[in-house]
Amino acid sequence: QVQLVESGGGLVQAGGSLRLSCAASGRTDSSYVMGWFRQAPGKEREFVSAIRWSDGRTYYADSVKGRFTISRDNAKNTVYLQMNSLKPEDTAVYYCAAGRFSTYYTSSLPAEYAYWGQGTQVTVSL
């Protein structure tokens, strides 16, 4: 199976930056999509960003477009989320996720991702 381990969370001031990492191990292949979700207290888990391993195509939630950048390192089987211009509203536990999709389909629904990391806390203060 696929195992995911997130790291890089922490406490930052509004306007600051943070980079999250997610290292994958197991049977990942080109059909997989790796993404980031976040969940704030009392809120549902929401989609943040995703990247297709096959071609590197990226997807972003409207709330983070222009501020966050997702990228991959094929050699390390690692996906990154560079978060800039952070806002207090970005405070949440961030989860790395992986799912197997067809070449031309990528999902933003948590239920369609089969594998999840343990989460890393991101706190943005005023």
Side-chain angles (χ1 to χ4, degrees):
Q1 297 291 82
V2 177
Q3 297 184 27
L4 306 172
V5 179
E6 306 101 327
S7 62
L11 174 64
V12 298
Q13 292 184 330
S17 298
L18 208 59
R19 189 181 77 159
L20 306 183
S21 299
C22 176
S25 62
R27 295 176 58 82
T28 56
D29 55 44
S30 62
S31 68
Y32 272 86
V33 170
M34 294 185 66
W36 292 94
F37 292 77
R38 65 188 183 186
Q39 188 165 24
K43 302 292 185 179
E44 295 183 348
R45 191 164 298 188
E46 66 173 348
F47 173 79
V48 176
S49 184
I51 184 167
R52 289 204 307 224
W53 218 252
S54 59
D55 60 2
R57 176 79 180 271
T58 59
Y59 304 84
Y60 297 94
D62 289 342
S63 60
V64 305
K65 285 182 179 178
R67 300 189 298 121
F68 292 9
T69 302
I70 191 169
S71 61
R72 60 176 179 171
D73 186 328
N74 291 350
K76 296 181 178 180
N77 288 322
T78 298
V79 64
Y80 304 95
L81 185 67
Q82 178 66 47
M83 304 184 294
N84 298 325
S85 301
L86 283 163
K87 305 174 181 179
E89 306 92 272
D90 296 317
T91 295
V93 176
Y94 283 70
Y95 296 91
C96 180
R100 196 164 194 164
F101 303 100
S102 65
T103 303
Y104 299 102
Y105 178 76
T106 299
S107 177
S108 61
L109 302 176
E112 297 190 0
Y113 287 76
Y115 307 102
W116 295 85
Q118 81 285 357
T120 185
Q121 177 71 46
V122 172
T123 302
V124 184
S125 64
L126 289 170

